[in-house]
Amino acid sequence: MAANLGPKAAHFAMTIEPSFEDWLSIGRSSLFSKLDRQLVLSLLDDDSIATVAKGEKICRQNEPARHCHVVLAGLVKLVRQSPGGQEAVISIHGPSQTFMEADALSNGVYSTTEEAIIDSRILRIDAVTLREKIGANPPFALAMLASASVHLKVLLEHVEKLKSMTGPARLADFLLDLAAQRSGSAAFQLPYEKQLIASHLGMTPESFSRALGQLRGLGVRADRNKIEIEDIQRLRQFRDAR
Amino acid sequence: MAANLGPKAAHFAMTIEPSFEDWLSIGRSSLFSKLDRQLVLSLLDDDSIATVAKGEKICRQNEPARHCHVVLAGLVKLVRQSPGGQEAVISIHGPSQTFMEADALSNGVYSTTEEAIIDSRILRIDAVTLREKIGANPPFALAMLASASVHLKVLLEHVEKLKSMTGPARLADFLLDLAAQRSGSAAFQLPYEKQLIASHLGMTPESFSRALGQLRGLGVRADRNKIEIEDIQRLRQFRDAR
DNA sequence: TCATCACCTTAACAAAAATCAACCGCCACG
DNA sequence: CGTGGCGGTTGATTTTTGTTAAGGTGATGA
């Protein structure tokens, strides 16, 4: 509800009901898209929707996992820190993507820290409620499993790429993903800061910069956060060669 | 392995019934340990148990995922190959570990190739049956989710380590895992070939060898595939420093 | 308007890792 | 017995990447 661009802080005082856009996001998520609206509603409670400012954390690694989350709007990064204090960006989630289901379900602690990288709206689903509903609703359980399956596959690919591709090749791969075409040329914007992409691809900002410079020789023009790829196929060839 | 188990082939002419050891393996697996024996039995059919020789493949990347697998005995490596033909060992599974649930459940294709690295016994569970039983048995669904959650967490850690640790540090980490102690000294055998460990850790055999050489300076002695760690804490300190 | 700051880039250097090549020891096999 | 192959090691070299340091550019705010 609420006008689709209406002042959000207005009716924040009490229960926050999902807005029209929120419902769109929920509907687009692979986890909830095929589920009954009533069921989804039953998962929500008073403080289900949180507005999170850029830089704010949604949850912290090693704290008890009491919720799973769905991005309704915005962008969230999933960061993991090692005992030695190093940080690694594991993945980045946009609207309609769920995360932390696994942690919430296994009744353990969050295995990553989540942080909004732009102002975001997050749906928080209580872990206990979630477990209940899953137990009572087999199709929901299957949807959860499918969702976990997707996450697993993404991570799998990520590992593969980290192990077998050089930095520039990983960047090429990332750009090809964004272009979402199989041939011809493409132009688009980088979805977030280069530092963040660099970290996501497992390299330093400096290496990222150099990698981008290297791709220039393959028909990739970069101005600010605008990217132009002359020849998608050529870029793919480069990627596959490493 | 065939000695101390009861008469098995007696009443089921064609069916291969799990041996006593097989039941032990099944019982130890996080996926099946808490489930009713009847349910587990209902998942099996005539060709559920396969004996796989070293080097044989259990399934191939991109082929339709019609089964999920449980290692009953032996060792299996999970390999992923990129479009460019590179190979990366994603993980290695021993007895009681399940894999490919995700692919089997999402009705898609295998996202990795599986290969036995020593002679092994594998339990193959039909994907359709699996989905049926999950739909009909909520606790089973939750067990599957928990299992997926564990796999997810392992991969997450793997990504983090690949991104934030040097080769020698990853090796130290691997050895500390094997030692399974928090202090003192330890001696044990490497569970499989060094090449394989190297690939699993995301480095070449040469780098592995050199990394091992580097750890020698930290009280790690290696002879053939026997490892001795003088001081676990010292090694951990080294690992955490990178 | 200027100062400041965050993001990004570049360069020079150092560290880490891959590559190329040679070699050892062991074992299976003719 | 040799001999070949495989797993492993080692050395020399190159490539890749991180590090350190410096500078540039655009947005923001006093």
Side-chain angles (χ1 to χ4, degrees), chain A residues 42 45 71 73 92 104-105 109 112 120 122-123 134 154 172 179 182 202 215:
Chain A
S42 75
D45 57 31
V71 182
I92 295 165
L105 280 170
V109 298
T112 58
S120 303
I122 304 296
L123 182 64
I134 288 174
V154 169
R182 301 195 55 78
L215 296 189

Side-chain angles (χ1 to χ4, degrees), chain B residues 166-187:
Chain B
T166 66
R170 290 200 300 278
L171 173 54
D173 183 68
F174 180 80
L175 295 179
L176 286 166
D177 242 36
L178 285 179
Q181 303 175 213
R182 301 196 55 77
S183 63
S185 65

Side-chain angles (χ1 to χ4, degrees), chain B residues 213-233:
Chain B
Q214 214 173 311
L215 296 190
R216 208 157 290 142
L218 288 113
V220 176
R221 301 269 136 203
D223 174 49
R224 312 284 281 149
N225 64 354
K226 272 196 154 45
I227 300 286
E228 283 179 36
I229 304 175
E230 263 176 39
D231 184 350
I232 300 261
Q233 302 221 30

Side-chain angles (χ1 to χ4, degrees), chain A residues 80 82 84 86 89-90 102-103 106 111-112 135 138 149 152-153 155-160 163-164 200 240 242, chain B residues 80 82 84 86 89-90 102-103 106 111-112 135 138 149 152 155-160 163-164 200 240 242:
Chain A
R80 202 181 142 85
S82 56
Q86 311 260 38
V89 173
I90 304 290
D103 292 331
S106 60
S111 53
T112 58
S149 154
L152 222 37
K153 200 169 295 189
L155 274 183
L156 221 61
E157 273 175 38
H158 202 57
V159 170
E160 176 219 318
K163 282 185 180 173
S164 64
H200 180 48
D240 293 345
R242 332 317 271 321
Chain B
R80 203 181 142 87
S82 57
Q86 312 259 39
V89 173
I90 304 291
D103 292 331
S106 60
S111 53
T112 58
S149 152
L152 221 38
L155 274 182
L156 221 62
E157 272 175 37
H158 202 56
V159 170
E160 175 218 318
K163 282 185 179 171
S164 64
H200 180 49
D240 293 344
R242 327 317 268 330

